[in-house]
Amino acid sequence: MVSDKVRTRLDGKWRSLDSRPLHRATVALSELHEALVADRLTRALGSEWEQRCRGQDRNPTRSISGVRASLFAKFSDRARHIGVEARRLVEQWTATHGRRPSHATIVKLRQQATLATSPV
């Protein structure tokens, strides 16, 4: 854990770090993490991987080859809750604007749904 507060040496005042660059790098860091885990599993267990589609408004992901989609769905309550809220937000946006949102807007709405349905 890293504190977002620092005390300057010059005047002793407390200030916050600018975390915006870290937030912009979140997707890249997540992709790197997944690639490292996949590499480790492949080396240790000989796992094979395949690309898995996650729906029209989501980027594909990699998963271990041979695992049925129904098994993913069974253990993915969190994704289901996010999906329900994201669909509601997209429908609300569509009703307000009279058209379907762009892919970039849908990504932002999914992020909003993820935060809104977070158990923490």
Side-chain angles (χ1 to χ4, degrees):
M1 182 165 172
V2 177
S3 174
D4 67 341
K5 302 287 184 190
V6 293
R7 179 179 275 173
T8 62
R9 293 182 84 194
L10 186 61
D11 60 13
K13 290 184 180 179
W14 285 92
R15 294 195 166 79
S16 293
L17 295 174
D18 182 0
S19 62
R20 289 174 292 192
L22 183 59
H23 287 285
R24 283 192 294 270
T26 301
V27 173
L29 291 171
S30 176
E31 292 289 329
L32 175 61
H33 172 262
E34 288 187 18
L36 292 172
V37 169
D39 181 64
R40 192 65 163 269
L41 287 171
T42 299
R43 290 172 191 253
L45 304 174
S47 302
E48 293 184 12
W49 301 87
E50 62 189 16
Q51 191 171 36
R52 182 171 59 95
C53 181
R54 299 187 303 166
Q56 175 186 355
D57 298 329
R58 299 183 70 193
N59 291 329
T61 189
R62 286 180 300 181
S63 62
I64 296 175
S65 296
V67 178
R68 293 186 315 271
S70 60
L71 189 59
F72 283 108
K74 185 172 186 159
F75 290 97
S76 190
D77 284 339
R78 176 89 173 106
R80 195 168 20 265
H81 290 125
I82 292 169
V84 168
E85 178 65 8
R87 282 188 293 280
R88 187 189 72 74
L89 291 171
V90 168
E91 288 171 5
Q92 180 181 353
W93 195 98
T94 302
T96 301
H97 297 87
R99 61 181 170 81
R100 184 163 167 78
S102 68
H103 179 72
T105 300
I106 290 173
V107 168
K108 289 178 184 175
L109 293 172
R110 280 196 64 77
Q111 290 171 343
Q112 185 179 337
T114 299
L115 291 174
T117 59
S118 176
V120 178

